[in-house]
């Protein structure tokens, strides 16, 4: 075990993936010698050469188009989009190409070896264009897998699983936690399962569900609620697509209440999809309406970020409201 | 840092603009319409066997297009795209490559697939979306693909194959393969962002890819002079620092020469190359289009005189590698074969309902299995409403 922050854990996973597989390539804007603007790819060019870890021109649709071609050819591309806010020029390549490559060809071709890494989320005073959480746009696209880790241990195990998975994966990295989240991480190779949620804390009164950086906020709210004698069960969804309905439904059948919290705006966010499915799966077990504590339906603000975000106090209030419904 | 190169530039002290058309781009022509070769022209590598294979592919192409447009008119298939007048670009391209080279086409390049030996049955099964279609009946007619023949499955969104071809070729290079990628697109698709993305990515990363633009004058109804005002698509190749060639796309020998050169160059130098083939789309964009709404019969007649297949036939006759008896026999036989294949393919069953959920992922995930099970229960309740699949659900 070693102490690593989330960036070091990701860098370590990329190192393992590139060492074991000569066709694994890391590329994106500033990814080469500089190691990426967050330094997630530090040292990889020096270790594996310029042909396997390199800068690309500033063209997101080109990066993902190039990556799709590499994956179809049999290489293992690990493409970085510098901020999830800038993934939209590549939306067509991801939604119409990566996601449909296998289906449209009847499995004559596929891009299963593709992994797209991208930092997402707020809390870094990044304003509109360095704070977004665009997972819901991609969750509406059959053929993709979407993964969001919450800490260094999860990040390494889930990233290695994503790289080795035979489907295109968009891997959203909580950039607020890149250096802030530090924990014990095994130095050896390991994987964590895709499509499986994890119950982080057992509880009996309400289920709190979130993913990525939002779990830290949810845990804080649960601590407040515990002082009021409310027992919260906390679940990390980990995979947005496909998502683990069973683990969430089993928990809600036990607690009778569900609160979902996401950073993204509330309307048509992934929390809405979860709420619809769980009310259908657990209708007769529910003691109160499913609560969604999310970002507001505005662009991500700057000066008023504190007011905008789904913070621990908003979640704490919603927990009490649900339990006392 | 690339800015160093500007130290070599001549310095001026008054604004001296470069005109948008100041790069003069020559056009390669080898074969005249009457079948004679231009004086001093460099012929491609070609012998009678190769030439005959190319000519037979062109003939197959023309017959297939004629018959399938008719089949669409009769309501037997939903949609078709002919390549009338442009056949030399796709057949000639494939003929200039090796079988291990990847072909990433736009949609009007069935000629390349014909040259590579995609069977008539495979063509038909795809167009009739039956259960023997390699693509499992998921895409509209003409969206062919074959892993075995290194022909990437067609994707409708325009230009998406361009940056993909750069990546595919980069992978071939890194793995030391004796193979390149050819990427076809039209002058209309060259307006898409993916064109610019793909050319720049290929140039910067030295990918051995041949970009092949079929400039056929029209993007559905939009003529090329409403698509761009620069010196065609070739001029953009110069801008991206890519070796560039413009050719007569109706001249099969020019296409063959260009692609043979491009393949050698891409492999030896590990660099991209771009070919702009000037042609004319004699037919409609697709069976859903009617060109009489946007161009004149006179204009079409002018270009009919440049028929690439007739041009090659004239050359073959002049070489004494072909004669009129062979010509008549070949076309008659092809027409019979295509008609017979239509009759077989249209009777083959549609794909099974399970094919709805396979290949979305490598394995069918739980939620899709549940959705399929619910669908089967529903179909069993209303079998008359789902005649293709109801009888086969267990």
């Amino acid at each position: 075990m070693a102490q690593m922050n989330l960036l070091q854990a990701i860098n370590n996973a990329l190192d393992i993936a590139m060492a074991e597989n000569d066709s694994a390539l890391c590329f994106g804007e500033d990814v080469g010698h500089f190691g990426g603007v967050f330094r997630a790819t530090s040292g990889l060019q020096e270790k594996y050469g310029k042909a396997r870890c390199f800068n690309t021109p500033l063209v997101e649709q080109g990066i993902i188009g190039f990556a799709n071609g590499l994956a179809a050819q049999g290489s293992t591309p690990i493409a970085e989009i510098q901020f999830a806010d800038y993934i939209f020029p590549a939306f067509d390549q991801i939604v119409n190409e990566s996601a449909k490559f296998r289906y449209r060809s009847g499995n004559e071709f596929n891009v299963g070896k593709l992994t797209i890494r991208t930092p997402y989320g707020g809390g870094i005073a990044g304003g509109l264009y360095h704070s977004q959480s665009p997972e819901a746009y991609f969750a509406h696209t059959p053929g993709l897998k979407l993964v969001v880790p919450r800490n260094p241990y999860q990040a390494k195990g889930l990233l290695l699983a994503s790289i080795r998975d035979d489907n295109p994966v968009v891997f959203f990295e909580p950039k607020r936690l890149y250096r802030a989240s530090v924990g014990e991480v095994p130095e050896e190779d390991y994987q964590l399962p895709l499509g499986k949620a994890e119950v982080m804390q057992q509880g009996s009164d309400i289920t709190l569900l979130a993913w990525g950086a939002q779990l830290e906020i949810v845990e804080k709210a649960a601590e407040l609620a515990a002082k009021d004698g409310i027992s919260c069960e906390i679940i990390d969804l980990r995979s947005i697509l496909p998502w683990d309905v069973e683990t969430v439904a089993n928990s809600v059948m036990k607690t009778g209440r569900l609160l979902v919290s996401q950073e993204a705006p509330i309307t048509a966010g992934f929390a809405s999809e979860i709420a619809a499915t769980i009310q259908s799966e657990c209708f007769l077990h529910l003691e109160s309406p499913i609560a969604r504590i999310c970002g507001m339906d505005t662009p991500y603000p700057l000066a008023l970020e504190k007011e905008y975000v789904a913070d621990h106090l908003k979640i704490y209030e919603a927990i009490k409201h649900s339990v006392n419904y | 840092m690339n800015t160093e190169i500007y130290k070599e530039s001549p310095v001026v002290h008054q604004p001296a603009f470069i005109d948008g058309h100041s790069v003069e781009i020559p056009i390669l022509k080898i074969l005249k319409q009457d079948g004679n070769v231009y004086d001093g022209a460099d012929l491609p590598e070609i012998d009678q066997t190769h030439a005959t294979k190319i000519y037979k592919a062109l003939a197959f192409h023309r017959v297939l297009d004629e018959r399938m447009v008719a089949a669409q008119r009769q309501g037997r298939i939903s949609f078709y795209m002919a390549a009338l007048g442009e056949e030399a670009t796709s057949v000639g391209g494939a003929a200039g490559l090796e079988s291990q080279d990847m072909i990433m086409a736009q949609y009007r390049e069935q000629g390349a697939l014909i040259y590579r030996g995609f069977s008539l049955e495979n063509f038909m099964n795809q167009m009739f979306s039956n259960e023997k279609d390699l693509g499992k009946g998921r895409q509209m007619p003409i969206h062919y693909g074959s892993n075995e023949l290194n022909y990437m499955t067609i994707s409708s969104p325009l230009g998406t194959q361009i940056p993909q071809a750069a990546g595919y070729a980069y992978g071939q290079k890194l793995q030391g393969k004796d193979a390149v990628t050819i990427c076809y697109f039209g002058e209309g698709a060259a307006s898409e962002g993916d064109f610019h993305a793909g050319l720049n990515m290929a140039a910067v990363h030295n990918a051995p890819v041949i970009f092949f633009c079929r400039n056929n004058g029209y993007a559905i109804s939009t003529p090329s002079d409403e698509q761009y005002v620069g010196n065609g698509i070739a001029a953009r190749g110069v801008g991206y620092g890519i070796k560039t060639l413009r050719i007569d796309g109706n001249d099969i020998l020019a296409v063959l020469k260009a692609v043979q050169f491009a393949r050698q160059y891409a492999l030896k130098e590990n660099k991209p190359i771009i070919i702009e083939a000037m042609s004319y789309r004699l037919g409609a964009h697709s069976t859903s289009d009617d060109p009489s709404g946007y161009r004149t019969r006179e204009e079409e007649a002018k270009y009919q005189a440049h028929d690439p297949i007739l041009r090659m036939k004239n050359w073959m006759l002049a070489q004494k590698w072909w004669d009129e008896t062979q010509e008549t026999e070949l076309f008659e036989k092809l027409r019979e074969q295509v008609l017979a294949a239509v009759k077989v393919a249209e009777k083959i069953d549609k794909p099974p309902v399970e094919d709805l959920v396979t290949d979305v992922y490598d394995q069918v995930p739980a939620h899709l299995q549940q959705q399929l099970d619910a669908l089967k229960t529903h179909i069993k309740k209303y079998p008359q409403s789902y005649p293709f699949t109801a009888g086969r659900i267990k």
Side-chain angles (χ1 to χ4, degrees):
Chain A
M1 288 283 201
Q3 285 278 314
M4 291 188 200
N5 65 28
L6 207 144
L7 273 173
Q8 290 165 329
I10 283 164
N11 185 262
N12 184 230
L14 294 173
D15 192 358
I16 290 172
M18 292 185 84
E20 74 176 357
N21 176 359
D22 285 344
S23 80
L25 312 172
C26 287
F27 52 91
E29 294 154 13
D30 304 300
V31 157
H33 173 66
F34 188 56
V37 293
F38 293 102
R39 305 292 193 278
T41 52
S42 276
L44 297 178
Q45 186 178 80
E46 287 66 27
K47 203 162 171 184
Y48 300 104
K50 277 187 176 175
R52 291 184 57 200
C53 177
F54 51 88
N55 290 336
T56 66
L58 262 158
V59 58
E60 288 78 11
Q61 68 199 86
I63 294 169
I64 304 304
F66 196 83
N68 277 330
L70 274 164
Q73 183 269 337
S75 296
T76 302
I78 307 162
E80 177 179 304
I81 298 295
Q82 199 164 78
F83 286 88
D85 311 68
Y86 304 133
I87 204 166
F88 300 110
F91 201 63
D92 187 47
Q93 281 289 344
I94 298 171
V95 169
N96 273 332
E97 297 294 318
S98 313
K100 297 173 175 64
F101 224 94
R102 190 192 301 271
Y103 189 79
R104 75 177 181 216
S105 70
N107 206 22
E108 288 284 297
F109 300 96
N110 74 82
V111 294
K113 291 173 186 290
L114 169 66
T115 305
I116 300 167
R117 296 178 37 249
T118 190
Y120 85 96
I124 61 154
L128 288 79
Y129 299 118
H130 298 83
S131 305
Q132 295 178 65
S133 300
E135 68 274 7
Y137 294 108
F138 298 97
H140 202 58
T141 305
L144 298 178
K145 290 194 176 182
L146 309 180
V147 178
V148 196
R150 71 172 184 274
N151 65 26
Y153 174 79
Q154 294 287 326
K156 179 175 171 181
L158 288 171
L159 181 54
L160 280 167
S162 298
I163 292 166
R164 291 163 182 160
D165 188 82
D166 206 12
N167 297 284
V169 179
V170 185
F171 191 83
F172 292 99
E173 300 171 358
K175 62 178 171 288
R176 182 169 66 78
L177 303 183
Y178 265 158
R179 292 173 199 282
S181 178
V182 179
E184 291 286 318
V185 178
E187 281 163 293
E188 64 272 16
D189 188 349
Y190 66 94
Q191 283 179 224
L192 295 170
L194 304 188
K196 287 273 173 240
E198 185 186 40
V199 179
M200 293 164 57
Q201 177 182 308
Q202 299 276 348
S204 54
D205 296 329
I206 183 169
T207 302
L208 309 181
L209 177 63
W211 48 91
Q214 197 60 11
L215 280 157
E216 197 189 43
I217 316 289
V218 163
E219 282 182 298
K220 225 165 150 184
E223 281 168 28
L224 288 178
K227 288 178 189 154
D228 295 342
I230 301 170
S231 164
C232 298
E233 179 141 311
I234 303 177
I235 300 180
D236 176 2
L237 193 60
R238 300 201 289 195
S239 282
I240 304 281
L241 195 69
W243 68 285
D244 186 355
V245 178
E246 196 184 352
T247 297
V248 180
N250 285 343
S251 171
V252 175
M253 282 192 263
K254 182 177 79 176
T255 62
R257 296 179 182 87
L258 176 64
L259 181 153
V260 191
S261 185
Q262 71 189 23
E263 288 189 42
I266 186 164
T267 299
F270 200 69
S272 308
E273 175 59 34
I274 293 167
T277 301
I278 295 301
Q279 72 87 22
S280 170
E281 294 286 316
C282 308
F283 190 69
L284 294 175
H285 295 83
L286 287 171
E287 305 281 347
S288 66
I290 296 168
R292 290 173 297 154
I293 306 304
C294 309
M296 293 165 71
D297 286 332
T298 70
Y300 201 99
L302 182 67
L304 299 178
E305 183 172 27
K306 211 170 169 50
E307 286 72 14
Y308 166 88
V309 296
D311 67 7
H312 63 290
L313 292 174
K314 292 179 186 172
I315 297 169
Y316 170 58
E317 282 302 307
I319 292 170
K320 287 193 293 183
H321 185 259
S322 180
V323 170
N324 298 322
Y325 187 79
Chain B
M1 232 181 11
N2 251 345
T3 44
E4 296 290 316
I5 62 174
Y6 301 118
K7 285 185 182 163
E8 310 289 321
S9 299
V11 174
V12 293
H13 302 293
Q14 290 82 36
F17 292 101
I18 303 296
D19 187 78
H21 284 80
S22 60
V23 178
E24 201 179 310
I25 302 174
I27 179 162
L28 175 69
K29 287 174 181 276
I30 294 176
L31 188 57
K32 297 180 191 171
Q33 190 64 27
D34 64 8
N36 289 309
V37 169
Y38 286 95
D39 287 343
D42 265 352
L43 286 180
E45 281 176 41
I46 191 164
D47 58 16
Q48 184 175 356
T49 310
H50 195 194
T52 308
K53 184 179 175 185
I54 292 170
Y55 189 69
K56 285 182 173 175
L58 289 169
F60 182 121
H61 193 329
R62 185 142 297 177
V63 171
L64 182 70
D65 281 2
E66 274 172 16
R67 291 291 128 189
M68 297 322 291
V69 168
Q72 193 278 335
R73 295 286 179 247
Q74 293 161 359
R76 294 165 109 163
I77 57 172
S78 60
F79 177 84
Y80 192 74
M81 295 180 104
L84 195 67
E86 294 178 67
E87 298 94 336
T89 56
S90 58
V91 174
L97 298 171
E98 299 296 330
S99 59
Q100 69 270 26
D101 296 328
M102 171 53 70
I103 298 175
M104 296 177 82
Q106 180 162 288
Y107 48 61
R108 209 185 297 282
E109 295 87 0
Q110 53 267 48
L113 203 43
I114 291 167
Y115 182 86
R116 287 236 166 134
F118 200 58
S119 70
L120 188 50
E121 290 71 29
N122 274 334
F123 276 108
M124 291 301 156
N125 293 336
Q126 198 285 329
M127 283 185 271
F128 283 92
S129 329
N130 66 35
E131 67 176 2
K132 290 190 172 171
D133 168 25
L134 293 177
K136 301 184 187 168
R138 290 175 181 148
Q139 293 212 73
M140 285 170 71
I142 69 94
H143 290 63
Y144 315 109
S146 167
N147 189 307
E148 185 193 349
L149 297 178
N150 289 313
Y151 189 94
M152 186 62 75
T153 301
I154 301 301
S155 172
S156 306
L158 277 185
T160 51
Q161 75 279 14
I162 301 172
Q164 290 172 12
Y168 201 101
Y170 187 79
Q172 288 171 318
K173 176 180 88 166
L174 241 55
Q175 290 168 17
K177 309 237 187 239
D178 172 30
V180 302
T181 297
I182 193 168
C183 177
Y184 282 100
F185 51 89
E187 88 288 348
S191 295
E192 292 282 359
D194 273 353
F195 166 85
H196 301 277
L199 260 70
N200 199 33
M201 289 291 283
V204 169
H205 298 301
N206 295 317
V209 52
I210 303 166
F211 294 114
F212 193 111
C213 177
R214 292 181 293 98
N215 189 336
N216 67 8
Y218 285 91
I220 306 188
S221 74
T222 303
S224 56
D225 61 1
E226 293 176 35
Q227 195 69 241
Y228 56 80
V229 296
N231 189 350
I233 308 307
R236 299 179 199 170
V238 178
Y240 285 110
I242 296 177
K243 204 174 189 71
T244 299
L245 180 64
R246 179 174 283 155
I247 64 172
D248 178 348
N250 288 18
D251 175 347
I252 189 78
L253 297 184
V255 175
L256 194 59
K257 180 80 189 172
V259 174
Q260 284 175 349
F261 174 86
R263 184 177 196 279
Q264 282 173 7
Y265 171 83
L267 265 186
K268 187 160 168 263
E269 305 291 330
N270 273 319
K271 281 184 180 167
I273 190 164
I274 181 165
I275 298 167
E276 182 183 23
M278 308 310 289
S279 186
Y280 186 84
R281 197 195 72 213
L282 274 176
H285 164 70
S286 73
T287 49
S288 310
D289 173 41
D290 174 13
S292 69
Y294 51 84
R295 68 187 188 193
T296 62
R297 291 257 173 224
E298 291 72 37
E299 179 187 309
E300 290 175 9
K302 198 173 94 188
Y303 286 96
Q304 267 155 5
H306 300 281
D307 182 351
I309 299 184
L310 182 60
R311 195 184 303 187
M312 184 174 192
K313 180 190 161 190
N314 289 339
W315 181 68
M316 296 283 282
L317 293 174
Q319 303 294 110
K320 306 221 183 301
W321 289 353
W322 195 248
D323 62 39
E324 290 294 351
T325 314
Q326 285 172 299
E327 174 85 359
T328 310
E329 279 174 12
L330 175 65
F331 275 82
E332 271 177 18
K333 191 184 81 186
L334 286 168
R335 286 190 183 106
E336 280 167 24
Q337 285 175 342
V338 173
L339 270 178
V342 166
K343 286 178 185 162
V344 172
E346 65 190 354
K347 291 196 183 74
I348 297 173
D349 279 345
K350 295 288 170 220
V353 71
E354 288 77 10
D355 280 2
L356 261 177
V357 301
T358 54
D359 305 329
V360 181
Y361 295 95
D362 60 334
Q363 291 164 5
V364 179
H367 69 289
L368 279 183
Q369 189 59 49
Q370 282 167 13
Q371 290 170 23
L372 177 66
D373 292 344
L375 174 63
K376 283 181 175 175
T377 305
H378 174 79
I379 291 173
K380 278 197 260 186
K381 200 169 174 188
Y382 299 97
Q384 286 84 0
S385 296
Y386 307 94
F388 292 142
T389 49
R392 288 194 286 168
I393 292 176
K394 288 163 206 119

